[in-house]
Amino acid sequence: MINGEIAAAFNRIADLMEISGESGFRVNSYRRAARTIKAYPEDLSVVAGEGRLTDLDGVGKSSAEKINEYIQSGTIGALADLEPGSLPDLLRIQGLGPKKIAVLHDELSVASIEDLKSAIDEGSVASLAGFGAQSVKKIAEGIAFLEKSGGRTAMGIAWPVAESMAEMLRGLPNVTQVEIAGSLRRGAETIGDVDLLCVCDESEPVMSAFTGQGDVKRVLAQGSTKSSVTVEIDNGRELQVDLRVVPAESFGAALQYFTGSKEHNVRVRELAVRRKLKLNEYGLFDGDKQVAGETEAGIYEALDLPCYAPEMREDRGELDLDASPPLIELADIRGDLHMHTTASDGKCSIEEMAEAAKERGYNYIVITDHSKSSAVANGLSIERMKRHISDIRAADDRTKGIRILVGCECDILMDGSLDYPDDILADCDIVVASIHSGMTGAKAKPTDRLLKAIDNRYVSIVGHTTGRLINRRPAMEIDMAKVIQAAADSHTAMEINASWQRLDLKDLHARQAIDAGVMLAIDTDAHHTSQLDQMMFGIRTARRAWATKEHVLNTRTTASLLKWIAKKRG
Ligand code: DGT
Ligand code: CA
Ligand code: CA
Ligand code: ZN
């Protein structure tokens, strides 16, 4: 239902009016309308279509106009007119409402979070009427949280938090279903908050177990249908986790709704409306009769849509497909083509990596330690690399049940040449070429360097093409279309580096690569056996790019992989 969004917009208008000192009467009329809209059982886009908006309590002609405006354009012009500078930022601070913000602005000329911090430090807030020491402390805590958790959390950090919460809930006696929803279920690279859904006989003990869990830092809200907590992650930052309890007959509808994305849901809801059906988080309804909602598949089926994989639900053209493609799965992966050992900067030996890969059911791995110019990563001189090649071959001879192939991660130098001469590269079964230094500045020229490296017949895979580190380092400025075309033309694969800090190529670039006919390789770049498990993050990114197993090199058998490599070598 669009009602929630419209109610939120009306409340926002009321907040902003209140901040700018508007009279109580007008503010209250917006709040009253917001309450009516939120509680209204029918979708307002239907009500509006039939010209019945003013039938709603507290909705007059001008409110009806604003509702129509929102339905048509997704926004309300009056809202934009009301945003007075950086004052609304203060609303993001927990424990600080519009009335107090207005007072802070009028009495202390506070116009931003920075202003408020100084005012608190000077002690002037505590002396204001209505702001005791207790409330100042709460506001200061709210600011600290906002600063620590304002950014989004990498999928690799959010995933284990969500999994352990979900596991705990699944273990409770009266809980029958638990699912992770939201952006995490869609495999997004970063997560705003974690969304959990559950079905249970009695919500009170479930909510208490959730908010009382050992990892919980703070309880933001505890109710019978929804609770929110935060969990501490890296460097004292906090991640919010929401838990919603839903009825069994609505579980599929809730899962569909809260998986999102919002953009995908808007399109699905439109398709429902076109069939004179109503879709919301409680089910798919024909009038008052629920026609689907117990399962997610049931909802899509009732709308004659394929049950899209969550990773595809981004409104990137999936709704135009007749069928959902058979996306790649972790089980399709037969090997990992990029990993390090103690020979360079890895933590485990060749054989330890091989054993760990064997446990994961792989047929092969490629050992790709760093080349000589990667000094900080203990890159191998030519002499050491020659010995390393014999060591890998010897380890392969000793090891049963998995093939250990020889590779290297060869640096692409400033002029685009490779860090090893061709005869060393030729001794490797597979070469990954990557940029590790000189990523920024006028001399960086990453596109030219990548094109030149791709031109080398021994380069089978381009490693982490853009060099980005999620939340830490931006991608290099690259003409991606050009690099992708060159890879396609030269029979060179491009990596989806599966490390959750990288995910490079990212989903959109991987999709672009697939569309151009480029082969992908999903590799972990593991520096420890445990990191081989990061393959799952690369798989999810590939699924967001609509990759099937045919698009991915390391789903092939060993023989087929080596044949593919041989083609470019000629
Ligand atoms: P995030 O948390 O920023 O990484 O992204 P999401 O997608 O997890 O978003 P979130 O947590 O705000 O909401 C979870 C899902 O609930 C979202 O993907 C779609 C659905 N949803 C939330 N609010 C709305 C809304 O106002 N309208 C619609 N149509 N769907 C919504
Ligand atoms: Ca979320
Ligand atoms: Ca949420
Ligand atoms: Zn590497």
Side-chain angles (χ1 to χ4, degrees):
M1 288 224 280
I2 200 166
N3 302 17
E5 291 168 43
I6 297 174
F10 271 59
N11 271 324
R12 178 85 177 166
I13 291 175
D15 284 345
L16 297 179
M17 285 169 69
E18 212 167 359
I19 289 176
S20 55
E22 186 73 48
S23 81
F25 171 76
R26 287 195 59 206
V27 173
N28 286 340
S29 74
Y30 275 105
R31 293 221 193 276
R32 193 155 54 96
R35 274 197 301 274
T36 311
I37 291 166
K38 188 148 189 239
Y40 205 68
E42 268 185 274
D43 195 306
L44 285 201
S45 46
V46 178
V47 180
E50 294 167 10
R52 295 189 281 112
L53 283 174
T54 47
D55 292 356
L56 271 74
D57 255 348
V59 174
K61 202 165 143 257
S62 116
S63 293
E65 267 166 29
K66 292 190 174 70
I67 294 171
N68 274 318
E69 195 189 343
Y70 190 91
I71 291 168
Q72 264 140 44
S73 68
T75 177
I76 298 176
L79 246 179
D81 299 337
L82 271 167
E83 305 267 11
S86 52
L87 262 187
D89 279 352
L90 296 173
L91 283 170
R92 292 162 57 213
I93 301 169
Q94 297 198 2
L96 192 59
K99 280 206 189 76
K100 281 191 169 154
I101 294 173
V103 174
L104 288 165
H105 182 61
D106 292 342
E107 302 290 332
L108 303 173
S109 305
V110 166
S112 66
I113 295 178
E114 282 311 306
D115 290 352
L116 179 55
K117 274 163 69 181
S118 325
I120 290 174
D121 289 344
E122 286 161 21
S124 44
V125 178
S127 59
L128 283 177
F131 279 83
Q134 208 36 43
S135 103
V136 172
K137 185 168 166 260
K138 233 181 128 191
I139 293 168
E141 283 172 359
I143 295 174
F145 172 62
L146 187 64
E147 286 177 343
K148 275 186 285 178
S149 58
R152 298 173 60 81
T153 302
M155 162 162 65
I157 293 178
W159 183 257
V161 171
E163 270 290 284
S164 86
M165 285 277 196
E167 263 322 290
M168 184 278 292
L169 293 169
R170 285 186 189 112
L172 295 177
N174 70 359
V175 169
T176 49
Q177 292 192 82
V178 178
E179 285 293 340
I180 296 169
S183 50
L184 195 52
R185 183 163 183 243
R186 301 197 310 278
E189 61 189 39
T190 64
I191 307 301
D193 64 8
V194 174
D195 302 281
L196 299 175
L197 296 179
C198 104
V199 176
C200 59
D201 302 329
E202 212 190 332
S203 95
E204 215 274 331
V206 173
M207 289 306 196
S208 295
F210 174 66
T211 57
Q213 224 238 347
D215 295 339
V216 167
K217 178 95 187 287
R218 293 186 304 134
V219 177
L220 304 176
Q222 180 169 349
S224 62
T225 57
K226 185 186 171 191
S227 295
S228 294
V229 300
T230 69
V231 171
E232 187 158 334
I233 43 174
D234 54 339
N235 322 316
R237 285 202 326 118
E238 291 171 49
L239 172 66
Q240 182 171 333
V241 184
D242 296 340
L243 172 64
R244 289 181 178 81
V245 169
V246 301
E249 66 272 18
S250 297
F251 185 71
L255 185 57
Q256 197 282 327
Y257 181 89
F258 290 109
T259 295
S261 68
K262 200 169 151 185
E263 292 74 15
H264 173 87
N265 285 353
V266 166
R267 293 287 311 278
V268 174
R269 208 169 45 209
E270 279 169 8
L271 293 172
V273 168
R274 236 177 267 168
R275 291 166 175 245
K276 306 241 183 309
L277 298 173
K278 223 168 44 184
L279 177 63
N280 57 33
E281 60 267 49
Y282 300 104
L284 183 66
F285 296 91
D286 185 351
D288 290 338
K289 189 171 163 268
Q290 180 175 334
V291 293
E294 198 176 332
T295 67
E296 190 174 57
I299 301 245
Y300 283 105
E301 199 186 338
L303 294 170
D304 287 323
L305 292 169
C307 189
Y308 307 99
E311 292 91 342
M312 293 181 72
R313 301 182 198 171
E314 296 288 349
D315 190 22
R316 291 177 181 164
E318 72 277 11
L319 284 139
D320 302 325
L321 298 176
D322 294 328
S324 191
L327 299 185
I328 184 168
E329 291 173 11
L330 186 56
D332 295 325
I333 295 292
R334 290 182 194 255
D336 195 331
L337 312 178
H338 182 171
M339 67 187 67
H340 301 266
T341 69
T342 46
S344 63
D345 60 347
K347 298 285 179 284
C348 303
S349 68
I350 299 166
E351 275 151 312
E352 283 167 338
M353 297 306 280
E355 283 305 318
K358 215 160 82 179
E359 282 166 23
R360 285 157 181 81
Y362 291 164
N363 300 147
Y364 50 84
I365 54 170
V366 188
I367 301 293
T368 54
D369 278 299
H370 287 286
S371 61
K372 64 181 195 306
S373 291
S374 274
V376 283
N378 187 26
L380 296 160
S381 67
I382 290 179
E383 282 319 304
R384 284 178 64 211
M385 182 59 194
K386 283 182 173 163
R387 255 178 288 140
H388 189 43
I389 291 174
S390 332
D391 289 346
I392 298 170
R393 298 275 181 231
D396 184 38
D397 287 341
R398 284 192 302 270
T399 307
K400 301 287 162 258
I402 189 164
R403 180 80 185 275
I404 309 173
L405 296 167
V406 173
C408 67
E409 183 178 19
C410 189
D411 262 44
I412 300 171
L413 304 177
M414 289 306 286
D415 64 356
S417 63
L418 293 168
D419 199 19
Y420 284 139
D422 276 1
D423 61 332
I424 296 281
L425 301 180
D427 284 344
C428 295
D429 299 310
I430 295 183
V431 173
V432 178
S434 312
I435 293 180
H436 285 112
S437 57
M439 298 191 188
T440 53
K443 294 207 187 85
K445 302 228 176 359
T447 304
D448 294 347
R449 288 159 76 187
L450 288 165
L451 293 178
K452 191 163 166 195
I454 286 169
D455 210 32
N456 184 302
R457 61 205 255 235
Y458 296 108
V459 171
S460 298
I461 301 171
V462 181
H464 49 70
T465 305
T466 75
R468 73 154 177 183
L469 294 174
I470 289 174
N471 285 349
R472 282 197 291 153
R473 183 170 73 204
M476 290 184 282
E477 283 174 36
I478 290 171
D479 185 340
M480 191 53 83
K482 220 169 178 175
V483 172
I484 283 173
Q485 196 53 55
D489 293 344
S490 63
H491 198 72
T492 308
M494 294 180 81
E495 177 180 82
I496 292 180
N497 191 294
S499 161
W500 57 260
Q501 282 110 324
R502 291 190 182 272
L503 298 176
D504 184 6
L505 302 176
K506 66 175 178 179
D507 53 2
L508 287 170
H509 285 151
R511 173 110 178 256
Q512 216 179 322
I514 288 173
D515 288 347
V518 173
M519 182 63 80
L520 298 173
I522 310 176
D523 297 324
T524 63
D525 198 354
H527 286 65
H528 187 279
T529 52
S530 63
Q531 291 174 352
L532 292 172
D533 290 330
Q534 300 204 20
M535 186 61 80
M536 65 173 286
F537 302 121
I539 294 288
R540 307 203 65 190
T541 301
R543 288 167 64 87
R544 288 174 65 81
W546 300 13
T548 65
K549 71 185 228 191
E550 288 70 32
H551 297 129
V552 178
L553 186 56
N554 47 319
T555 63
R556 297 186 170 221
T557 61
T558 317
S560 167
L561 166 73
L562 292 173
K563 200 170 149 203
W564 194 90
I565 302 294
K567 191 168 169 198
K568 182 177 178 186
R569 292 187 171 210

mmCIF file of all heavy atoms in Angstrom, residues 338-340 344-345 368-370 408-409 432 434 436 463-464 495 497 502 524-527, ligand 4:
data_model
loop_
_atom_site.group_PDB
_atom_site.id
_atom_site.type_symbol
_atom_site.label_atom_id
_atom_site.label_comp_id
_atom_site.label_asym_id
_atom_site.label_seq_id
_atom_site.Cartn_x
_atom_site.Cartn_y
_atom_site.Cartn_z
ATOM 1 N N HIS A 338 41.756 -17.537 -7.551
ATOM 2 C CA HIS A 338 42.564 -16.425 -7.035
ATOM 3 C C HIS A 338 42.710 -16.565 -5.526
ATOM 4 O O HIS A 338 41.752 -16.384 -4.790
ATOM 5 C CB HIS A 338 41.873 -15.097 -7.407
ATOM 6 C CG HIS A 338 42.614 -13.859 -6.982
ATOM 7 N ND1 HIS A 338 42.232 -12.593 -7.400
ATOM 8 C CD2 HIS A 338 43.689 -13.658 -6.189
ATOM 9 C CE1 HIS A 338 43.038 -11.693 -6.875
ATOM 10 N NE2 HIS A 338 43.923 -12.306 -6.129
ATOM 11 N N MET A 339 43.922 -16.926 -5.077
ATOM 12 C CA MET A 339 44.167 -17.015 -3.631
ATOM 13 C C MET A 339 45.667 -16.930 -3.337
ATOM 14 O O MET A 339 46.491 -17.151 -4.222
ATOM 15 C CB MET A 339 43.598 -18.314 -3.064
ATOM 16 C CG MET A 339 44.290 -19.558 -3.531
ATOM 17 S SD MET A 339 43.414 -21.029 -2.977
ATOM 18 C CE MET A 339 41.896 -20.905 -3.920
ATOM 19 N N HIS A 340 45.995 -16.580 -2.123
ATOM 20 C CA HIS A 340 47.386 -16.338 -1.723
ATOM 21 C C HIS A 340 47.823 -17.340 -0.655
ATOM 22 O O HIS A 340 47.009 -17.873 0.079
ATOM 23 C CB HIS A 340 47.537 -14.904 -1.221
ATOM 24 C CG HIS A 340 47.162 -13.891 -2.269
ATOM 25 N ND1 HIS A 340 48.087 -13.319 -3.108
ATOM 26 C CD2 HIS A 340 45.958 -13.408 -2.662
ATOM 27 C CE1 HIS A 340 47.464 -12.497 -3.950
ATOM 28 N NE2 HIS A 340 46.171 -12.537 -3.703
ATOM 29 N N SER A 344 53.576 -15.348 -0.419
ATOM 30 C CA SER A 344 53.531 -13.875 -0.438
ATOM 31 C C SER A 344 52.867 -13.411 0.855
ATOM 32 O O SER A 344 53.464 -13.563 1.914
ATOM 33 C CB SER A 344 52.857 -13.330 -1.702
ATOM 34 O OG SER A 344 51.497 -13.706 -1.815
ATOM 35 N N ASP A 345 51.646 -12.871 0.808
ATOM 36 C CA ASP A 345 51.075 -12.318 2.046
ATOM 37 C C ASP A 345 49.926 -13.147 2.623
ATOM 38 O O ASP A 345 49.181 -12.672 3.476
ATOM 39 C CB ASP A 345 50.625 -10.866 1.834
ATOM 40 C CG ASP A 345 49.560 -10.731 0.758
ATOM 41 O OD1 ASP A 345 49.335 -11.714 0.007
ATOM 42 O OD2 ASP A 345 48.943 -9.652 0.660
ATOM 43 N N THR A 368 47.661 -18.023 -6.604
ATOM 44 C CA THR A 368 48.049 -16.791 -7.311
ATOM 45 C C THR A 368 48.699 -15.820 -6.331
ATOM 46 O O THR A 368 48.062 -14.869 -5.876
ATOM 47 C CB THR A 368 46.811 -16.112 -7.940
ATOM 48 O OG1 THR A 368 45.841 -15.928 -6.904
ATOM 49 C CG2 THR A 368 46.213 -16.934 -9.057
ATOM 50 N N ASP A 369 49.960 -16.049 -6.026
ATOM 51 C CA ASP A 369 50.636 -15.114 -5.117
ATOM 52 C C ASP A 369 51.085 -13.860 -5.863
ATOM 53 O O ASP A 369 51.062 -13.802 -7.087
ATOM 54 C CB ASP A 369 51.793 -15.843 -4.421
ATOM 55 C CG ASP A 369 51.284 -16.645 -3.229
ATOM 56 O OD1 ASP A 369 50.734 -16.008 -2.303
ATOM 57 O OD2 ASP A 369 51.403 -17.887 -3.234
ATOM 58 N N HIS A 370 51.491 -12.858 -5.069
ATOM 59 C CA HIS A 370 51.812 -11.546 -5.639
ATOM 60 C C HIS A 370 53.145 -11.546 -6.392
ATOM 61 O O HIS A 370 54.066 -12.282 -6.057
ATOM 62 C CB HIS A 370 51.877 -10.493 -4.532
ATOM 63 C CG HIS A 370 50.530 -10.130 -3.979
ATOM 64 N ND1 HIS A 370 49.623 -9.354 -4.664
ATOM 65 C CD2 HIS A 370 49.928 -10.453 -2.803
ATOM 66 C CE1 HIS A 370 48.523 -9.210 -3.942
ATOM 67 N NE2 HIS A 370 48.682 -9.869 -2.806
ATOM 68 N N CYS A 408 49.597 -16.749 -10.866
ATOM 69 C CA CYS A 408 50.146 -15.621 -10.116
ATOM 70 C C CYS A 408 49.170 -14.461 -10.254
ATOM 71 O O CYS A 408 48.354 -14.439 -11.174
ATOM 72 C CB CYS A 408 51.525 -15.224 -10.630
ATOM 73 S SG CYS A 408 51.514 -14.539 -12.289
ATOM 74 N N GLU A 409 49.230 -13.539 -9.279
ATOM 75 C CA GLU A 409 48.506 -12.287 -9.431
ATOM 76 C C GLU A 409 49.555 -11.263 -9.812
ATOM 77 O O GLU A 409 50.296 -10.762 -8.963
ATOM 78 C CB GLU A 409 47.785 -11.870 -8.147
ATOM 79 C CG GLU A 409 46.969 -10.590 -8.354
ATOM 80 C CD GLU A 409 46.197 -10.142 -7.132
ATOM 81 O OE1 GLU A 409 46.526 -10.564 -6.005
ATOM 82 O OE2 GLU A 409 45.259 -9.330 -7.303
ATOM 83 N N VAL A 432 46.260 -13.955 -13.274
ATOM 84 C CA VAL A 432 45.349 -12.864 -12.912
ATOM 85 C C VAL A 432 46.190 -11.588 -12.930
ATOM 86 O O VAL A 432 47.262 -11.562 -12.328
ATOM 87 C CB VAL A 432 44.760 -13.069 -11.496
ATOM 88 C CG1 VAL A 432 43.856 -11.901 -11.102
ATOM 89 C CG2 VAL A 432 44.007 -14.389 -11.398
ATOM 90 N N SER A 434 46.355 -7.509 -12.021
ATOM 91 C CA SER A 434 45.641 -6.521 -11.207
ATOM 92 C C SER A 434 46.479 -5.255 -11.025
ATOM 93 O O SER A 434 47.708 -5.307 -11.014
ATOM 94 C CB SER A 434 45.350 -7.072 -9.803
ATOM 95 O OG SER A 434 44.800 -8.363 -9.841
ATOM 96 N N HIS A 436 47.604 -2.586 -8.317
ATOM 97 C CA HIS A 436 47.699 -2.474 -6.860
ATOM 98 C C HIS A 436 48.277 -1.146 -6.413
ATOM 99 O O HIS A 436 48.267 -0.830 -5.228
ATOM 100 C CB HIS A 436 48.574 -3.596 -6.274
ATOM 101 C CG HIS A 436 47.891 -4.927 -6.254
ATOM 102 N ND1 HIS A 436 48.291 -5.967 -7.055
ATOM 103 C CD2 HIS A 436 46.846 -5.386 -5.544
ATOM 104 C CE1 HIS A 436 47.513 -7.018 -6.821
ATOM 105 N NE2 HIS A 436 46.631 -6.689 -5.919
ATOM 106 N N GLY A 463 41.931 -8.871 -12.455
ATOM 107 C CA GLY A 463 41.554 -8.929 -11.030
ATOM 108 C C GLY A 463 40.985 -7.597 -10.552
ATOM 109 O O GLY A 463 41.383 -6.535 -11.039
ATOM 110 N N HIS A 464 40.046 -7.663 -9.604
ATOM 111 C CA HIS A 464 39.421 -6.468 -8.985
ATOM 112 C C HIS A 464 39.643 -5.184 -9.788
ATOM 113 O O HIS A 464 40.355 -4.270 -9.363
ATOM 114 C CB HIS A 464 39.825 -6.300 -7.520
ATOM 115 C CG HIS A 464 41.304 -6.394 -7.212
ATOM 116 N ND1 HIS A 464 42.214 -5.438 -7.594
ATOM 117 C CD2 HIS A 464 42.008 -7.331 -6.549
ATOM 118 C CE1 HIS A 464 43.414 -5.774 -7.165
ATOM 119 N NE2 HIS A 464 43.322 -6.928 -6.535
ATOM 120 N N GLU A 495 37.081 -10.509 -13.271
ATOM 121 C CA GLU A 495 36.805 -11.074 -11.960
ATOM 122 C C GLU A 495 35.649 -10.356 -11.262
ATOM 123 O O GLU A 495 35.533 -9.142 -11.351
ATOM 124 C CB GLU A 495 38.081 -10.933 -11.109
ATOM 125 C CG GLU A 495 37.966 -11.416 -9.676
ATOM 126 C CD GLU A 495 39.285 -11.244 -8.924
ATOM 127 O OE1 GLU A 495 39.571 -10.119 -8.442
ATOM 128 O OE2 GLU A 495 40.031 -12.227 -8.824
ATOM 129 N N ASN A 497 35.559 -10.084 -7.696
ATOM 130 C CA ASN A 497 36.306 -10.389 -6.485
ATOM 131 C C ASN A 497 35.291 -10.514 -5.357
ATOM 132 O O ASN A 497 34.559 -9.584 -5.049
ATOM 133 C CB ASN A 497 37.319 -9.270 -6.208
ATOM 134 C CG ASN A 497 38.308 -9.643 -5.130
ATOM 135 O OD1 ASN A 497 37.933 -9.809 -3.969
ATOM 136 N ND2 ASN A 497 39.569 -9.779 -5.502
ATOM 137 N N ARG A 502 35.554 -5.847 -1.245
ATOM 138 C CA ARG A 502 35.754 -5.411 -2.635
ATOM 139 C C ARG A 502 34.486 -5.522 -3.481
ATOM 140 O O ARG A 502 34.005 -4.543 -4.021
ATOM 141 C CB ARG A 502 36.865 -6.239 -3.277
ATOM 142 C CG ARG A 502 38.263 -5.951 -2.716
ATOM 143 C CD ARG A 502 39.303 -6.638 -3.609
ATOM 144 N NE ARG A 502 40.670 -6.474 -3.131
ATOM 145 C CZ ARG A 502 41.462 -5.451 -3.443
ATOM 146 N NH1 ARG A 502 41.021 -4.506 -4.243
ATOM 147 N NH2 ARG A 502 42.697 -5.377 -2.972
ATOM 148 N N THR A 524 37.724 -15.616 -4.603
ATOM 149 C CA THR A 524 37.722 -15.013 -3.259
ATOM 150 C C THR A 524 38.947 -14.177 -2.945
ATOM 151 O O THR A 524 38.915 -13.367 -2.035
ATOM 152 C CB THR A 524 37.622 -16.098 -2.166
ATOM 153 O OG1 THR A 524 38.779 -16.930 -2.248
ATOM 154 C CG2 THR A 524 36.347 -16.897 -2.314
ATOM 155 N N ASP A 525 40.090 -14.397 -3.667
ATOM 156 C CA ASP A 525 41.294 -13.660 -3.285
ATOM 157 C C ASP A 525 41.652 -13.987 -1.824
ATOM 158 O O ASP A 525 42.122 -13.133 -1.083
ATOM 159 C CB ASP A 525 41.028 -12.156 -3.460
ATOM 160 C CG ASP A 525 42.294 -11.317 -3.529
ATOM 161 O OD1 ASP A 525 43.388 -11.873 -3.333
ATOM 162 O OD2 ASP A 525 42.167 -10.093 -3.762
ATOM 163 N N ALA A 526 41.388 -15.247 -1.415
ATOM 164 C CA ALA A 526 41.558 -15.620 -0.014
ATOM 165 C C ALA A 526 43.022 -15.512 0.411
ATOM 166 O O ALA A 526 43.933 -15.896 -0.316
ATOM 167 C CB ALA A 526 41.061 -17.046 0.210
ATOM 168 N N HIS A 527 43.229 -14.970 1.607
ATOM 169 C CA HIS A 527 44.546 -14.929 2.227
ATOM 170 C C HIS A 527 44.593 -15.889 3.410
ATOM 171 O O HIS A 527 45.564 -15.934 4.151
ATOM 172 C CB HIS A 527 44.897 -13.506 2.663
ATOM 173 C CG HIS A 527 45.241 -12.592 1.502
ATOM 174 N ND1 HIS A 527 44.328 -12.235 0.535
ATOM 175 C CD2 HIS A 527 46.413 -11.990 1.144
ATOM 176 C CE1 HIS A 527 44.919 -11.440 -0.346
ATOM 177 N NE2 HIS A 527 46.181 -11.272 -0.008
HETATM 178 ZN ZN ZN B 4 44.916 -11.119 -4.704
#
